[in-house]
Structure formats: C-alpha cells, structure tokens
C-alpha cells in the first residue's frame, strides 16, 4: 500500500483543527481567590455549580453574592458580616432546578480596643451633626449596596499605602469609655501626605468629606465588591472615574474622627465589611507585618 504524506497546507490545517479542539476542551483558567475564612467578618468560598456557560445567580440572606468561574466550577464568594452568629447557613442558587447549598460559619474572637478622642463631638455628636451623619450614611450605604455586573472581578489586591498596621480588623472599640461598633477595616499608620493607591481596578462611586470618616473615597470593583478609604488629607479622583490598580487616588491624612494620621481601609463584599487581609498576597501581608 502506498502511503501519501500530507502536504504542508494539510499539516497546518490539521494543526489548527487540533489546536481548536484542545482549546474547546480546555477548562477555564483558575482565578485568584480571597483566602477563605468562614467566620464573622470573613469570606466563604462555596462551590454552587459545575459546568455551563452562564453563571448561576446566588443569594445569601436575600442579598446577591459574587459568583466566579474556577475551571469547571462556579464558586460563590460570600462576605460574612461581623455581627453574624456562628452556625449553619445556606445559599439560594437560581438554576434549573433551584437549590439550597449549606455551609457553616465558625466562631472567631476579636480583641477590644479603648481609644480616647479629644474632640467630644466625634463621640457624642450634636443634633446638627447627627442630621449630617444620616445623610452621609445614606450616600455610603448606596455605594456599598450597589451591584455592577462584571464577569471578571479583581480578587487579589495590593496594599493601598505603606506603613505598620495600627489597628487590625474586627476590634471591639470603646471611645472615651463608650462601646461603639466593631472596627470594620484596617488602620495603616502611614505618614500624612503618603500616597494612597487603588488596590485593584474599579470605578469611583463616591467622594466626600464625611463627619466621622473625613475625606473619603469609595471604589466599586464589580459584583458587590467595594473598597473604602478614609481620613485622607486630599482626594485625587472624581465620582464615575475609572481607576487602575496602583493609580494614586489621594493622600493619607488625619481628617474626621482620628487620633493621628493614618489610612482606614475597608473592604465590603455583598454589603458586609470583611477582613481586607483575605484579599492580600503573601508579599503584601509581609509588608503589613501580618
């Protein structure tokens, strides 16, 4: 039998066909995920579906949560509020048929911090201050609760500024002997005027001078992931502006309720404030002193 070798053009066609077949068979690339820690103030990562081209819609306690693709799996990335009680919970998954997927939240202990604030109005505001606080809270709550559809969400952050960690996330705070809400972010003791950089790509959704937070910026990174920057000496961005990871958004200051210059940095996921450290890589954690 005579064997006929394929021509160069036929070989090229076979190669392209095989390449397309391999591409079609290859699973979607894995994603960088926050470090899972299913505790109050943490992040739960739960497999909610396998296969399919369209992400399922998932809710936790009536709030829509982020869903990302990791290979052949669809993962829900769920922010857990600091006031959430440990125990058994579930996610509602809208697929055919709808499903409930259980997961468990473990307990976590947070330390207590006592602070003395010289400006007494920052602890016990006057009525006109309270009126202002209500207006500002509504503006910030709207930014935290917003949902912006985005297939790929940046989940690995860089540090927004450089300096030692002065107050960790989750502290039970007492101002001038009066208990207040837990600390919902990280305080980084950078010097006044130090640059603050966007930890990931996003869209600026609010810029303001708020009673407690001072000069403040909020950035929406997509699918309910929002970051907050407070006590800034200046802001360099405007509402609606798109920013890239590493872009300067302002400078460290001592505006609002503070005991000295620092950056307060919060991360909100499905309107739950979660530990920003969970979104940092090992190098950034080392720079922060863990």
């Amino acid at each position: 039998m005579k064997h006929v070798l394929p021509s160069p053009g036929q070989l090229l066609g076979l190669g392209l066909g095989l390449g397309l077949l391999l591409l079609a068979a290859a699973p979607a690339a894995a994603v960088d995920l926050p470090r899972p820690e299913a505790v109050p103030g943490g992040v739960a990562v739960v497999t909610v579906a396998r296969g399919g081209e369209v992400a399922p819609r998932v809710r936790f306690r009536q709030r829509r949560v982020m869903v990302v693709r990791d290979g052949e799996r669809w993962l829900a990335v769920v922010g857990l509020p600091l006031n959430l009680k440990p125990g058994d919970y579930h996610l509602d998954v809208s697929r055919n048929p709808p499903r409930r997927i259980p997961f468990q939240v473990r307990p976590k202990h947070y330390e207590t911090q006592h602070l003395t604030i010289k400006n007494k109005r920052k602890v016990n505001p006057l009525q006109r201050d309270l009126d202002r606080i209500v207006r500002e809270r509504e503006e910030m709550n709207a930014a935290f609760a917003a949902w912006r559809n985005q297939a790929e969400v940046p989940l690995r952050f860089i540090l927004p500024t450089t300096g030692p960690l002065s107050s960790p996330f989750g502290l039970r705070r007492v101002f001038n002997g009066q208990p207040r809400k837990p600390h919902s972010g990280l305080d980084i003791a950078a010097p006044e005027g130090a640059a603050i950089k966007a930890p990931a790509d996003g869209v600026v959704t609010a810029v303001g001078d708020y009673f407690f937070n001072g000069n403040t910026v909020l950035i929406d990174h997509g699918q309910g992931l929002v970051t907050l920057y407070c006590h800034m000496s200046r802001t360099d961005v405007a509402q609606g502006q798109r920013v890239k990871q590493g872009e300067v958004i302002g400078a460290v200051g001592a505006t609002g309720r503070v005991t000295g210059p620092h950056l307060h940095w919060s991360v909100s996921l499905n309107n739950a404030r979660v530990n920003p450290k969970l979104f940092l890589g090992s190098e950034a954690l080392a720079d922060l002193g863990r």
Side-chain angles (χ1 to χ4, degrees), residues 9-22:
Q10 288 173 321
L11 283 171
L12 180 60
L14 287 170
L16 286 173
L18 181 59
L20 291 172
L21 181 63
L22 289 172

Side-chain angles (χ1 to χ4, degrees), residues 115-285:
L115 294 170
T116 300
I117 306 296
K118 293 180 179 179
N119 186 344
K120 301 299 190 289
R121 281 177 61 185
K122 297 297 183 181
V123 180
N124 297 299
L126 304 176
Q127 184 57 51
R128 67 175 182 271
D129 299 328
L130 292 172
D131 295 338
R132 174 186 171 186
I133 290 165
V134 168
R135 292 193 302 271
E136 294 171 350
R137 190 166 292 159
E138 288 175 351
E139 182 177 330
M140 286 187 287
N141 285 344
F144 283 130
W147 182 271
R148 188 167 61 88
N149 284 322
Q150 186 169 302
E152 295 184 7
V153 183
L155 294 172
R156 184 55 54 87
F157 290 170
I158 63 170
L159 280 171
T161 196
T162 303
L165 179 66
S166 56
S167 289
F169 174 84
L171 285 172
R172 307 299 174 179
R173 287 192 141 175
V174 180
F175 291 113
N176 296 2
Q178 301 178 44
R180 290 295 187 264
K181 289 183 178 181
H183 190 221
S184 59
L186 296 179
D187 285 353
I188 302 174
E192 186 154 5
I196 300 171
K197 300 177 181 180
D201 295 359
V203 177
V204 177
T205 50
V207 179
D209 178 9
Y210 300 137
F211 184 80
F212 286 128
N213 294 348
N215 293 324
T216 298
V217 170
L218 288 100
I219 300 176
D220 186 329
H221 304 280
Q223 288 203 50
L225 179 62
V226 178
T227 52
L228 168 79
Y229 311 83
C230 301
H231 313 307
M232 302 165 73
S233 61
R234 71 170 199 272
T235 56
D236 296 342
V237 289
Q239 186 174 359
Q241 180 177 336
R242 290 187 174 272
V243 293
K244 292 290 187 181
Q245 185 181 64
E247 184 175 341
V248 174
I249 61 171
V252 173
T255 56
R257 183 169 66 186
V258 296
T259 57
H262 71 282
L263 171 66
H264 172 95
W265 176 39
S266 285
V267 174
S268 181
L269 185 58
N270 50 269
N271 207 4
R273 308 316 167 251
V274 298
N275 191 347
K277 282 187 174 183
L278 301 178
F279 292 80
L280 296 173
S282 56
E283 186 175 339
L285 286 171

Side-chain angles (χ1 to χ4, degrees), residues 34-131:
R35 191 168 68 256
E37 189 176 5
V39 300
V43 175
V45 178
V46 183
T47 300
V48 292
R50 292 184 182 275
E53 294 302 316
V54 180
R57 184 167 292 196
V58 180
R59 292 185 179 274
F60 175 56
R61 302 172 85 200
Q62 307 302 316
R63 289 180 179 169
R64 190 172 176 183
V65 302
M66 179 186 296
V67 177
V68 297
R69 189 169 185 174
D70 182 48
E72 292 301 316
R73 301 182 302 163
W74 291 103
L75 304 176
V77 184
V78 188
L80 306 173
L82 266 168
N83 62 359
L84 189 68
K85 293 182 179 179
D88 296 323
Y89 292 89
H90 68 268
L91 300 176
D92 292 306
V93 182
S94 296
R95 254 199 173 182
N96 192 12
R99 298 173 14 177
R100 279 192 166 183
I101 297 181
F103 71 101
Q104 191 173 59
V105 175
R106 307 186 312 273
K108 184 176 179 67
H109 173 72
Y110 292 101
E111 300 292 335
T112 299
Q113 181 184 46
H114 294 261
L115 294 170
T116 300
I117 306 296
K118 293 180 179 179
N119 186 344
K120 301 299 190 289
R121 281 177 61 185
K122 297 297 183 181
V123 180
N124 297 299
L126 304 176
Q127 184 57 51
R128 67 175 182 271
D129 299 328
L130 292 172
D131 295 338

